[in-house]
Amino acid sequence: MATATTPKRPAAPKVPDQKNFINGQFVPSASGKTFAAINPATGKEICQVAASDAADIDQAVKAARRALDNPDWKRMDAPNRGLLMNRLADLVEQNAEELAVLESLNSGKLIGDAQGDVQGVVNTLRYYAGWADKIEGRTVPVRGNFLSYTLRQPVGVVGQIIPWNFPLLMLAWKWGPALACGNTIVMKPAEQTPITAMKMAALVQEAGFPDGVINLVNGLGETAGAALVAHPDVNKIAFTGHYETAKLIQKSAADTLKRCTFELGGKSPNVIFADCDLEAAVEGAFHAIYFHGGQCCTAGSRLFVEDKIRGEFVERLAAKAKDRKLGDPLDDATQQGPQVSQEQLDKILGYIKLGEQEGAKLVAGGARFGDQGYYVTPTIFDNVKDDMAIARDEIFGPVVSVLAFNDLDEVVARANSTYYGLAAAIWTQNLDKAHAYAREVKAGTVWVNCYHVVDTTTPFGGFKMSGQGRENGEAVLDHYTELKTVTIKLNK
Ligand code: NAI
Ligand code: MG
């Protein structure tokens, strides 16, 4: 049985109500409306948050447009833009513990994971600060007596909509490249997790960014989010979340032909061959699904195990699941915190019921844990068939589906028979198998004998309905620049 931990850290800080950050100022929503931010470990309110709509979005977009044309930003030397971003990274580092505690409190993320995410923010900002003065054009050997060269210029005002599973990290993944390329930003944080974004706004102010370069508007997706997507003066939308939301966004963005990039989750195949290092593969498969309670776009939720080791593998996985310590995410001893919300708790429990109804074999977990907060015990289904709902849909919780297989071609075909294509992994000592899988599997990221290794330096994104475009690395810079060709007639 999963066990509960008892809190050892000092009580979490009192959090003030959260406003919006528009044109360098903290302002309430135009309507004065608010909604509650909830602590997922208790289900209790942390503070009230500005509930914004089209009027607030319009103000923020206007501020971002003015900032785009403000010489303090537009004409800022590229190396100085990098310095400014580095100043923000330094401030994040100086405020790391406060940011991590707030992130854990608001999202239910383990404090250790939150500390890791804050470091990820620092790394991301510094990496893209380094790009600021390396966004270069080319000279082109055009036909005729002309000089042709290209300029890479900002796309303009970019709208960024992020989810609740990695609130700080998703913010940094989107701010980093946008700022490096000289854009201005209107971001809508997830309604579940607005608190650390607003702390970042205070650091933006302290770092000395010109007013309006970064704006944050809190609110629900259907109101604030939809208004940002529909706004005619927003040039691009970058979104992370569910593909159903992305479909709505793409339809709405069609009216103004906005550029869109999407990162949309997955049902990632994690393939275990009998010739793997068994100890490492059990650890890896466990981490693949249960990291952050499965609330991870790359979660290894389809666990393909070669049939001849499946019995032992599932047994070892189940023993670890039953041993896991659930409890207060602010306690260093806790191994699994709550799911983010009542909505997610209900969704996950619904899928567990469906798995049992469809005839999968429940070998661990399968229930809510405790009676306050949104906890789910680490759950394992064995004997899962490819067409069961638990093997097809993204559950976004601590629920893994074990699927038996016998050979490489078979498992590649089954791994690819999904509308998702975000990540994939293979555990084997055989290089031929590893390379063949890496080449054939339809996923934006492939891990061999490891899992969840994501770095700001490497491109990240999805095939098929897992997304459009890439984040991280150099690849994302194309999405935040317009390419301009300049041709000059020469007379000699
Ligand atoms: P969601 O896609 O509805 O929300 C993500 C963001 O989009 C939030 O900021 C939300 O306010 C905004 N949004 C929602 N509707 C919008 C609209 N019509 N226009 C503009 N913005 C809108 O995801 P949600 O409801 O939080 O979670 C549902 C499922 O989505 C999860 O169970 C999981 O399967 C998936 N998901 C995937 C994530 C990933 O990392 N790829 C992250 C979060 C959720
Ligand atoms: Mg939603």
Side-chain angles (χ1 to χ4, degrees), residues 230-298:
H231 200 293
D233 211 22
V234 172
N235 302 101
K236 172 200 159 57
I237 294 289
F239 168 79
T240 300
H242 198 273
Y243 67 80
E244 289 293 355
T245 314
K247 287 193 212 168
L248 295 175
I249 290 175
Q250 194 158 49
K251 282 177 191 154
S252 165
D255 287 336
T256 46
L257 287 177
K258 280 185 186 65
R259 286 134 188 74
C260 290
T261 47
F262 297 126
E263 196 276 274
L264 309 174
K267 192 73 186 174
S268 298
N270 188 17
V271 172
I272 317 287
F273 275 92
D275 64 8
C276 68
D277 171 344
L278 195 63
E279 187 71 37
V282 170
E283 279 295 325
F286 195 81
H287 177 61
I289 184 62
Y290 298 122
F291 173 56
H292 194 20
Q295 302 172 117
C296 209
C297 48
T298 49

Side-chain angles (χ1 to χ4, degrees), residues 107-183:
S107 70
K109 189 181 283 283
L110 297 181
I111 183 67
D113 291 346
Q115 287 161 341
D117 286 3
V118 173
Q119 186 58 50
V121 171
V122 173
N123 296 347
T124 303
L125 291 173
R126 287 192 178 141
Y127 173 80
Y128 284 106
W131 269 112
D133 57 3
K134 296 168 196 69
I135 315 282
E136 299 171 346
R138 293 179 172 181
T139 54
V140 187
V142 66
R143 284 183 182 80
N145 197 18
F146 302 97
L147 169 65
S148 282
Y149 62 91
T150 57
L151 292 172
R152 293 174 76 191
Q153 299 186 321
V155 169
V157 174
V158 300
Q160 303 183 321
I161 301 174
I162 56 171
W164 42 262
N165 52 345
F166 294 87
L168 275 171
L169 205 56
M170 292 300 101
L171 172 149
W173 283 19
K174 289 188 168 47
W175 284 10
L179 295 171
C181 298
N183 298 280

